[in-house]
């Protein structure tokens, strides 16, 4: 045995960072996530033996496990340093079992931040694996398997559609989205009017009609609208003008303090990234993961820039508070440092307070100082986290608020304004809300004169659709899910086509609404908000060692099976037994539960007969019908194949196609769930990837599209100098020579015989690349960032990036090829 210590972490990026910190006496390997899980094609849970799970090594992780075993045999000792949460504890437990290590021995280390000080201290103080954390993760995994394995086939059979799924958290989140959409559809707007007056009492100011006869004119929360029509507004105007004398009834001045918000939790980070950066939850967590795992800061070396990013806690370590309190007066002045540290208390304690809040590992690493080492999105998120933490330890902002009340007859007008007296924490965090305008100095009791009166019509608005941020906030309020589940839940809803995005908003699809309706009718407990939250609380009790995990699973599973048994099933027309969804190498199908006695099968997806739509084909005159394809419905000629007329059946924008001048531009959804817009006229290839608008280009007359967050108008005409997209017409499109064709044929034949490695195959080997190579290839291949943009992010020229990208891919493919050869 060598004297080296083997340290097992989750990701190759983290392995590389920790290896450089610990030095040559340590060997650091990555498990690349979970190495073992329940089997894919079997339930994998022994229902007769306290729900005992049957774990198997994941097929794609067999090589990883083999390398870990080999490294463990050579090592003097083994430390397991996976992420400090339930999932990480379970991964360490699986690795310990596979490496034949005793989980009760001190083999587990926790890194809440990846900095030299923390890591070197942690490896000196290993602890046993926390079995309570492992049990909590096992309970969640078993629950999810029991629901998914039993309920997903029921959904597929009910809706005769492949790849449908359901889950405890996923289905409840979908219910939230669909119920909000139902509120929007059922909403009936109410009309109301506001009346503003311009007064002069030594100075001019504007005030809004506040009360009539002592009653509030407008109260949106209670839906009180005393002026609800134009006729009523005009009558009030006449009465106000008839008032003979006005006076300043009251002038109220007071000082208001606005306190800093606590540092980020997972939920609040996702909300702030959505509102300030326009990011979805998934993107936020992917970028945060990279900041946590470590970045090479030149002479300082590799270091994690933020603490662990999956947390419900707002607690901060005393040494971090002390560092912030030393930094603030030096950077901003003594007035910005409160006399005592700011402490924050979360809504829940116990296991919810296991980790710190998300903060920079050192406030001395200012965003502008590390910018050159980060990609653009890494810098933007780091700056957001840094500013929030520093601001959380600063003094409150102070406002001088003034309210002026003007009365006359039975009417009272009111004006409110404020002035920022001291910016406090806003010096760092910024002003993220619209502030009131200051009011002039007027004397209480002074006579006032009405100069102008303006009435304005309004209508109440429906509740807004959920965004990633507001959905996560609502789930957190209801106690549904945990920090590690928010982003994957939303991504699953999109992947299953249960929701679609309209800008940042999440809108349920027709399928999503149908699935929720079915679940609410037949599985009310599965999608009940209170029940789902109770399960989460029970899982927390397992983590605290207060409950055995099989008992928590049983409490959920028994009522679930009762509901499952009551669901009506389609029966076999041959023997009368229920049909169930089965899987073969050709996909899913419905088969008889009496197999092998009864061998009846039928396709899962029913073939739908064409539906006449009452129109005739403009090409041949035959009736048009609605048909269904893999991407939804479309209109086609009933005389097919003699007549090939088709058109899209998609929401129309009402904008005429600028290319053919005949069709309309319709909104379509791609296979990956992304919207695009194209002409619905057969044979027209007009397409754009941003929302079109009725405005036309002043240079060529084509329709314009809205580009980016600022919705800049660009032209949709490829021949226009204001074209919205890269012009590809200058690229060579000449005929290929016979030699090129032959080479292409050989290449195609080679690809058929030997499949090309995917990014999922290559990613585990990125740890062996140089830092610049790794960061470039991860952005381009892993995140889909264009090469030129990735080059700019890393401060390279396009030519340098192209060479570096080519070299990195070559190294990865060589490493992958050697591993395959070795494995075979």
């Amino acid at each position: 045995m060598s004297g080296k210590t083997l340290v097992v972490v989750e990701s190759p990026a983290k392995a590389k960072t920790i290896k450089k910190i610990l030095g040559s006496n340590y060997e650091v390997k990555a498990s690349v996530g979970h190495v073992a899980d329940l089997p894919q094609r079997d339930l994998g849970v022994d229902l007769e033996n306290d729900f005992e799970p049957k774990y198997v090594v994941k097929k794609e992780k067999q090589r990883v496990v083999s390398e870990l075993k080999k490294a463990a045999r050579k090592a003097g000792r083994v430390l397991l340093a996976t992420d400090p949460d339930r999932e990480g504890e379970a991964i360490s437990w699986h690795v310990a079992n596979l490496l034949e290590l005793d989980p009760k021995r001190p083999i587990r280390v926790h890194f809440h931040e990846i900095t030299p000080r923390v890591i070197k201290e942690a490896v000196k103080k290993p602890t046993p694996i926390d079995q309570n954390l492992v049990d909590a993760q096992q309970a969640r995994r078993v629950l999810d398997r029991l629901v998914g394995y039993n309920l997903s086939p029921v959904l597929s059979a009910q809706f005769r559609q492949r790849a449908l799924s359901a889950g405890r958290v996923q289905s409840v989140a979908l219910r939230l989205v669909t119920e909000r959409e139902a509120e929007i559809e059922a909403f009936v707007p109410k009309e109301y009017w506001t009346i503003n007056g311009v007064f002069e009492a030594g100075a001019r100011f504007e005030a809004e009609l506040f009360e009539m006869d002592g009653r509030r004119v407008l109260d949106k929360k209670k839906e009180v609208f005393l002026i609800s029509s134009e006729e009523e507004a005009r009558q009030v105007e006449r009465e106000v003008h008839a008032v003979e004398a006005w006076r300043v009834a009251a002038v109220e001045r007071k000082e208001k303090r606005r306190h800093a918000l606590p540092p980020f939790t997972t939920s609040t980070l996702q909300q702030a990234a959505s509102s300030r950066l326009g990011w979805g939850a998934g993107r936020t967590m992917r970028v945060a993961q990279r900041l946590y795992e470590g970045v090479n800061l030149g002479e300082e070396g590799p270091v994690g820039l933020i603490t662990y990013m999956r947390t419900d806690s707002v607690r901060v370590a005393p040494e971090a508070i002390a560092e912030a309190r030393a930094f603030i007066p030096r950077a901003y002045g003594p007035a910005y440092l409160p006399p005592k540290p700011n402490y924050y208390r979360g809504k829940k304690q116990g296991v919810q307070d296991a980790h710190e809040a998300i903060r920079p590992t050192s406030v001395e690493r200012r965003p502008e100082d590390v910018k050159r080492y980060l990609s653009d999105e890494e810098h933007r998120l780091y700056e957001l986290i840094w500013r929030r933490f520093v601001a959380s330890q600063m003094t409150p902002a102070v406002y001088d608020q003034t309210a002026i009340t003007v009365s006359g007859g039975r009417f009272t007008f009111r004006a409110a304004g404020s002035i920022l007296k001291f910016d406090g924490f806003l010096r760092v965090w910024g002003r993220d809300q619209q502030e009131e305008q200051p009011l002039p100095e007027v004397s209480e009791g002074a006579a006032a004169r009405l100069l102008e009166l303006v009435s304005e019509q309004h209508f109440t608005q429906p509740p807004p659709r959920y965004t990633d941020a507001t959905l996560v906030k609502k789930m957190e309020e209801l106690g549904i899910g945990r920090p590690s589940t928010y982003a994957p839940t939303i991504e699953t809803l999109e992947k299953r086509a249960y929701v679609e995005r309209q800008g940042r908003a999440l809108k349920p699809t027709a399928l999503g609404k149908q699935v929720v309706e079915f679940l609410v009718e037949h599985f009310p407990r599965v999608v009940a908000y209170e029940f789902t939250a109770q399960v989460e609380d029970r899982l927390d009790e397992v983590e605290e060692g207060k409950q055995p995990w099989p008992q928590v699973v049983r409490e959920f599973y028994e009522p679930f099976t009762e509901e499952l048994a009551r669901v009506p099933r389609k029966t076999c027309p041959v023997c009368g037994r229920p049909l169930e969804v089965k899987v073969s190498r050709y996909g899913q199908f419905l088969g008889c539960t009496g197999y092998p006695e009864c061998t009846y099968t039928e396709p899962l997806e029913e073939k739908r007969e064409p539906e006449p739509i009452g129109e005739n084909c403009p090409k041949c005159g035959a009736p048009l019908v609605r048909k269904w394809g893999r991407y939804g419905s479309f209109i086609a000629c009933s005389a097919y194949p003699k007549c090939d007329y088709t058109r899209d059946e998609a929401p129309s924008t009402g904008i005429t196609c600028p290319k053919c001048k005949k069709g309309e531009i319709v909104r379509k959804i791609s296979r990956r769930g992304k919207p695009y817009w194209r002409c619905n006229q057969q044979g027209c290839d007009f397409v754009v990837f941003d929302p079109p608008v009725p405005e036309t280009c002043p240079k060529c007359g084509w329709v314009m599209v809205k580009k980016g967050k600022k919705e800049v108008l660009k032209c949709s005409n490829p021949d226009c100098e204001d074209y919205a997209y890269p012009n590809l017409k200058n690229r060579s499109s000449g005929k290929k020579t016979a030699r090129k064709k032959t080479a292409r044929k050989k290449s195609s034949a080679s690809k058929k015989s030997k499949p090309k490695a995917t990014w999922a195959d290559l990613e585990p080997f990125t740890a062996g690349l140089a830092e610049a190579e790794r960061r470039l290839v991860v952005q381009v291949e892993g995140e889909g960032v264009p090469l030129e943009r990735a080059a700019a992010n890393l401060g390279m020229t396009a030519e340098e990036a192209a060479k570096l990208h080519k070299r990195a891919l070559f190294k990865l493919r060589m490493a992958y090829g050697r591993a395959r050869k070795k494995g075979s």
Side-chain angles (χ1 to χ4, degrees):
M1 267 193 230
S2 71
K4 285 191 175 184
T5 298
L6 172 64
V7 180
V8 181
V9 297
E10 284 187 46
S11 77
K14 189 195 297 185
K16 187 174 181 179
T17 303
I18 293 174
K19 169 64 178 172
K20 290 182 178 179
I21 291 173
L22 291 176
S24 59
N25 290 329
Y26 290 82
E27 183 70 22
V28 186
K29 294 281 186 180
S31 69
V32 198
H34 279 278
V35 293
D37 197 5
L38 301 174
Q40 288 186 344
R41 294 188 177 273
D42 299 317
L43 179 61
V45 178
D46 188 348
L47 301 177
E48 305 299 325
N49 190 20
D50 264 351
F51 305 102
E52 181 180 353
K54 301 173 183 177
Y55 296 110
V56 297
V57 175
K58 300 172 79 171
K59 185 178 179 180
E60 67 273 18
K61 296 299 178 65
Q62 291 176 353
R63 179 186 57 79
V64 173
V65 172
S66 177
E67 290 182 357
L68 290 176
K69 288 181 177 179
K70 184 177 178 180
R73 286 194 294 268
K74 295 180 180 179
R77 66 168 179 162
V78 179
L79 297 177
L80 307 177
T82 49
D83 286 349
D85 58 12
R86 292 176 186 170
E87 295 292 325
E89 206 74 15
I91 292 172
S92 286
W93 183 71
H94 286 303
V95 171
N97 290 332
L98 292 169
L99 301 185
E100 298 180 352
L101 303 174
D102 183 0
K104 296 180 181 178
R105 291 181 57 244
I107 59 174
R108 178 78 166 108
V109 292
H110 297 85
F111 304 143
H112 294 278
E113 60 182 75
I114 301 179
T115 56
R117 177 185 63 81
V118 170
I119 288 176
K120 289 176 181 178
E121 288 180 2
V123 296
K124 295 177 183 178
K125 302 175 183 178
T127 62
I129 290 176
D130 189 335
Q131 191 61 42
N132 291 334
L133 276 176
V134 176
D135 288 345
Q137 192 276 339
Q138 284 195 116
R140 176 182 289 279
R141 184 69 187 97
V142 169
L143 277 172
D144 291 343
R145 171 54 63 95
L146 291 174
V147 173
Y149 195 87
N150 288 287
L151 190 48
S152 297
V154 173
L155 289 178
S156 292
Q158 172 70 22
F159 295 100
R160 307 301 294 265
Q161 189 168 329
R162 304 172 192 271
L164 298 187
S165 69
R168 292 182 312 105
V169 177
Q170 168 195 324
S171 298
V172 176
L174 180 59
R175 182 182 178 184
L176 283 169
V177 176
T178 55
E179 288 186 346
R180 174 59 60 85
E181 191 67 20
E183 290 179 38
I184 294 171
E185 292 172 354
F187 180 80
V188 178
K190 293 183 178 180
E191 180 183 3
Y192 68 95
W193 287 70
T194 56
I195 299 178
N196 284 10
V198 178
F199 292 88
E200 196 275 328
R204 292 167 64 101
F205 61 93
E206 185 175 330
E208 181 178 342
L209 180 60
F210 184 67
E211 290 180 346
M212 294 192 303
D213 294 323
R215 295 178 60 198
R216 287 280 299 272
V217 171
L218 175 64
D219 190 337
K220 292 182 181 179
K221 290 185 178 180
K222 297 180 180 180
E223 292 196 342
V224 174
F225 310 110
L226 296 189
I227 308 174
S228 57
S229 68
E230 183 176 6
E231 182 181 349
E232 292 178 355
R234 300 297 174 240
Q235 177 61 33
V236 170
E237 283 183 1
R238 288 191 290 270
E239 293 184 24
V240 170
H241 278 300
V243 174
E244 295 182 356
W246 297 91
R247 69 181 184 88
V248 178
V251 178
E252 302 173 21
R253 294 184 178 89
K254 61 181 179 179
E255 187 178 88
K256 179 184 177 182
R257 292 175 175 265
R258 182 184 169 195
H259 294 273
L261 295 170
F264 283 130
T265 63
T266 302
S267 168
T268 54
L269 174 63
Q270 292 172 0
Q271 293 169 45
S274 175
S275 61
R276 289 202 168 199
L277 306 179
W279 292 3
R283 182 183 181 185
T284 302
M285 297 309 292
R286 285 191 291 272
V287 178
Q289 181 81 32
R290 297 202 299 269
L291 294 174
Y292 163 70
E293 288 177 345
V295 176
N296 194 334
L297 299 182
E299 293 181 2
E300 189 177 353
V303 64
L305 291 180
I306 65 170
T307 54
Y308 192 56
M309 64 287 164
R310 295 185 181 93
T311 176
D312 283 341
S313 175
V314 292
R315 178 178 56 83
V316 175
E319 55 268 24
I321 293 177
E323 185 185 31
R325 288 181 61 79
F327 172 83
I328 290 168
R330 188 172 72 249
Y332 305 107
Y336 291 89
L337 182 70
K340 295 181 180 179
N342 294 334
Y343 292 104
Y344 301 91
R345 184 178 179 85
K347 295 178 181 178
K348 294 184 178 181
Q349 301 299 312
V351 297
Q352 301 299 318
D353 199 47
H355 308 310
E356 280 191 70
I358 304 169
R359 60 168 176 83
T361 52
S362 173
V363 295
E364 298 293 344
R365 298 190 190 94
R366 303 189 189 204
E368 58 270 23
D369 295 336
V370 299
K371 184 176 182 178
R372 66 182 185 274
Y373 303 109
L374 306 177
S375 67
D376 178 62
E377 62 180 4
E378 287 169 348
H379 173 256
R380 293 174 70 193
L381 189 64
Y382 178 68
E383 183 177 38
L384 190 69
I385 294 169
W386 187 91
R387 289 183 179 278
R388 177 71 165 241
F389 172 66
V390 174
S392 72
Q393 288 300 319
M394 295 177 73
T395 50
V398 181
Y399 292 87
D400 277 338
Q401 287 191 325
T402 305
I404 300 175
T405 303
V406 180
S407 63
R410 69 188 188 99
F411 301 104
T412 300
F413 284 78
R414 185 178 177 85
S418 63
I419 300 174
L420 181 62
K421 185 177 179 181
F422 177 68
D423 55 0
F425 77 94
L426 296 177
R427 170 82 178 270
V428 172
W429 182 240
R431 305 183 191 183
D432 55 358
Q433 66 179 26
Q434 188 174 3
E435 296 174 359
E436 298 170 337
Q437 295 298 316
L439 292 175
E441 290 288 337
V442 296
S443 301
E444 187 171 320
R449 185 161 59 95
L450 177 63
L451 304 177
E452 185 181 351
L453 206 59
V454 178
S455 300
E456 188 174 355
Q457 182 187 42
H458 307 272
F459 291 92
T460 55
Q461 298 296 313
R465 291 191 176 101
Y466 283 111
T467 62
D468 286 37
T470 55
L471 181 59
V472 166
K473 183 178 181 181
K474 187 65 176 180
M475 291 171 66
E476 185 182 42
E477 289 174 357
L478 295 174
I480 297 165
R482 286 298 179 258
S484 60
T485 65
Y486 297 142
T489 295
I490 296 172
E491 289 178 344
T492 299
L493 294 180
E494 282 193 272
K495 183 179 178 182
R496 300 299 183 194
Y498 292 158
V499 301
E500 61 184 9
R501 290 191 181 272
Q502 292 192 351
R504 295 185 190 178
L506 299 171
K507 181 182 179 182
T509 61
L511 175 62
K513 294 179 181 178
Q514 293 167 0
V515 167
V516 167
E517 184 179 353
F518 176 81
L519 292 175
V520 169
E521 180 181 357
H522 297 287
F523 298 92
R525 287 173 70 90
V526 172
V527 291
Y529 302 134
E530 300 82 3
F531 182 67
T532 306
Q534 288 170 11
V535 172
E536 296 291 353
D537 291 339
R538 297 287 278 167
L539 290 173
D540 290 344
E541 291 177 5
V542 173
E543 184 172 331
E544 294 171 325
K546 298 177 180 179
Q547 287 291 337
W549 72 266
Q551 177 62 28
V552 174
V553 174
R554 186 174 292 106
E555 290 173 2
F556 180 91
Y557 185 64
E558 288 179 352
F560 170 68
T561 54
E562 293 174 3
E563 294 176 343
L564 187 66
R566 292 194 292 267
V567 177
R569 307 288 181 91
K570 185 174 182 180
T571 56
C572 174
V574 176
C575 68
R577 296 187 181 100
L579 295 178
E580 66 179 2
V581 176
K582 298 188 176 184
V583 182
S584 73
R585 59 177 176 170
Y586 302 109
Q588 294 180 320
F589 64 95
L590 288 178
C592 183
T593 53
Y595 181 85
E597 290 82 5
C598 179
T599 58
Y600 176 81
T601 63
E602 64 178 61
L604 176 63
E605 296 178 348
E606 291 181 312
K607 186 175 181 181
R608 302 177 69 172
E609 295 297 323
E611 294 179 356
I613 65 169
E615 295 180 27
N616 292 330
C617 176
K619 194 171 182 180
C620 71
L624 291 177
V625 293
R626 179 178 290 108
K627 293 185 176 182
W628 286 267
R630 62 186 301 181
Y631 303 120
S633 62
F634 62 97
I635 305 301
C637 182
S638 59
Y640 179 84
K642 291 182 180 180
C643 178
D644 62 355
Y645 173 83
T646 63
R647 75 166 185 256
D648 288 324
E649 187 176 44
S652 175
T653 61
I655 301 173
T656 302
C657 173
K659 188 169 186 178
C660 69
K661 311 292 186 183
K662 298 178 181 178
E664 287 188 348
I665 301 175
V666 296
R667 184 178 186 272
K668 300 285 287 182
I669 300 295
S670 71
R671 293 177 63 183
R672 296 188 176 182
K674 301 293 185 182
Y676 66 97
W677 289 261
R678 57 163 295 176
C679 177
N680 64 0
Q681 186 72 17
Q682 187 179 24
C684 181
D685 61 356
F686 175 84
V687 62
V688 289
F689 303 96
D690 296 283
V693 294
E695 286 87 344
T696 57
C697 176
K699 296 181 180 179
C700 68
W702 279 43
V703 299
M704 307 284 277
V705 298
K706 293 189 291 187
K707 289 283 292 181
K709 296 178 186 176
K710 296 184 179 180
E711 298 186 342
V712 177
L713 293 183
K714 289 285 188 178
C715 184
S716 61
N717 184 359
D719 296 324
C720 182
E721 61 184 55
D722 288 338
Y723 184 46
Y725 308 101
N727 197 328
L728 306 179
K729 291 196 171 186
N730 294 330
R731 296 191 179 181
S732 175
S733 58
K735 295 183 179 179
K736 297 182 182 295
T737 63
R739 183 176 179 181
K740 287 183 178 178
K741 289 183 179 179
T742 304
R744 186 173 180 179
K745 286 181 180 179
K746 288 182 179 179
S747 175
S748 299
S750 173
K751 289 177 182 177
K752 289 180 181 178
S753 60
K754 188 176 181 181
K756 186 177 179 181
T758 64
W759 174 245
D761 298 323
L762 301 179
E763 188 178 18
F765 302 97
T766 54
L769 297 177
E771 180 66 15
E773 292 174 338
R774 181 190 72 80
R775 294 176 64 76
L776 179 65
V777 79
V778 165
Q779 285 193 45
V780 176
E781 301 296 331
E783 300 170 9
V785 177
L787 184 61
E788 292 181 359
R789 182 178 168 192
N793 291 342
L794 298 176
M796 304 177 186
T797 65
E799 185 178 354
E800 290 172 343
K803 291 180 180 178
L804 197 64
H805 178 249
K806 185 177 180 180
R807 184 165 69 243
L809 283 181
F810 176 78
K811 289 181 180 179
L812 290 176
R813 290 183 180 125
M814 290 295 290
Y816 171 67
R818 286 194 295 269
R820 286 191 64 193
K821 187 175 181 180
K822 189 175 180 180
S824 60

